[in-house]
Amino acid sequence: EAGVVQSPRYKIIEKKQPVAFWCNPISGHNTLYWYRQNLGQGPELLIRYENEEAVDDSQLPKDRFSAERLKGVDSTLKIQPAELGDSAVYLCASSLGGFGNSPLHFGNGTRLTVT
Amino acid sequence: AQSVTQLGSHVSVSEGALVLLRCNYSSSVPPYLFWYVQYPNQGLQLLLKYTSAATLVKGINGFEAEFKKSETSFHLTKPSAHMSDAAEYFCAVSVDKAAGNKLTFGGGTRVLVKP
């Protein structure tokens, strides 16, 4: 099966500029996640979707971050305006849903550098 | 809330030697536990998972982990390291059924394999 696809792989922007990341999950996976991974740390959840509904966005900085998952498939994560501290790898993952037994499948991530 | 602690941010082993990566979790309810591996510039790949069945879990690439409730541990081992095992390893926990498959990750342990 095709894996989780993310684009772009790398993005360099100046602070205060907007940026968007795109994710295409594995076909049939109802649950989609966006994680942020700072250098030398484990991933931290930003937002989780069940189909097209954001069911957990408690860690998403809503003043500058937004996300959408149209038709319950592809998803876009946006930052506007970007800050220096947003430099990180943004990982998208998908799963069949449920609890425990359905592992997360991760994409290769988008490495964002804000200068 | 659950948490994960990985002892040692870096581990160096000789090729052919035992690999031991330590993970301790904090949870008030029985957890689901996972180990993921991340190769450079790639996303996370599931190595193995514990979901309340057998306490000794075998995963891919010769890795295994043992769930010890009394020690709140889920250490990862491999009897004989291979050069291809050089990567970063993350332990993760999921406990909240209401949160679905929301994973909380440890800080990661980077493994260096010496020839």
Side-chain angles (χ1 to χ4, degrees):
Chain A
E1 64 181 6
V4 176
V5 179
Q6 291 187 247
S7 68
R9 286 298 312 275
Y10 305 92
K11 189 74 176 178
I12 301 174
I13 62 171
E14 295 182 347
K15 62 181 180 182
K16 301 184 181 180
Q17 295 300 307
V19 65
F21 316 124
W22 176 81
C23 173
N24 178 241
I26 293 173
S27 177
H29 281 193
N30 298 325
T31 308
L32 184 146
Y33 313 75
W34 283 102
Y35 279 84
R36 177 169 59 188
Q37 186 177 19
N38 292 315
L39 186 64
Q41 299 182 22
E44 296 179 325
L45 182 69
L46 290 174
I47 188 168
R48 176 172 66 96
Y49 282 93
E50 294 289 347
N51 298 304
E52 65 273 13
E53 181 182 1
V55 296
D56 184 355
D57 63 356
S58 57
Q59 301 301 312
L60 190 72
K62 298 180 183 62
D63 57 335
R64 298 184 299 108
F65 285 65
S66 64
E68 60 181 8
R69 190 183 184 195
L70 299 177
K71 300 182 180 179
V73 182
D74 294 358
S75 178
T76 303
L77 178 69
K78 298 179 181 178
I79 308 175
Q80 182 173 11
E83 298 179 351
L84 294 177
D86 295 331
S87 294
V89 176
Y90 291 83
L91 294 165
C92 179
S94 69
S95 75
L96 287 171
F99 174 65
N101 261 324
S102 176
L104 274 64
H105 298 259
F106 284 84
N108 286 334
T110 296
R111 182 178 297 275
L112 173 67
T113 302
V114 182
T115 63
Chain B
Q2 67 270 25
S3 65
V4 175
T5 301
Q6 292 184 240
L7 297 177
S9 59
H10 292 79
V11 168
S12 181
V13 299
S14 297
E15 191 174 18
L18 171 71
V19 179
L20 170 60
L21 305 182
R22 300 180 185 275
C23 172
N24 289 88
Y25 68 90
S26 172
S27 171
S28 59
V29 298
Y32 284 7
L33 294 159
F34 306 81
W35 275 99
Y36 280 83
V37 61
Q38 186 176 33
Y39 298 101
N41 297 317
Q42 294 187 25
L44 281 73
Q45 178 184 0
L46 181 68
L47 274 178
L48 49 81
K49 62 181 181 181
Y50 167 76
T51 56
S52 74
T55 57
L56 182 62
V57 181
K58 295 186 183 300
I60 62 172
N61 302 338
F63 284 93
E64 63 181 33
E66 186 172 10
F67 172 68
K68 292 187 177 180
K69 183 179 179 180
S70 60
E71 299 177 8
T72 60
S73 69
F74 190 57
H75 301 332
L76 180 71
T77 60
K78 182 175 180 177
S80 177
H82 191 273
M83 295 299 292
S84 61
D85 295 326
E88 189 152 22
Y89 294 79
F90 293 93
C91 182
V93 63
S94 178
V95 300
D96 186 353
K97 291 186 177 182
N101 263 335
K102 177 179 177 178
L103 293 180
T104 299
F105 286 88
T109 298
R110 187 171 298 277
V111 173
L112 172 65
V113 182
K114 299 176 293 184

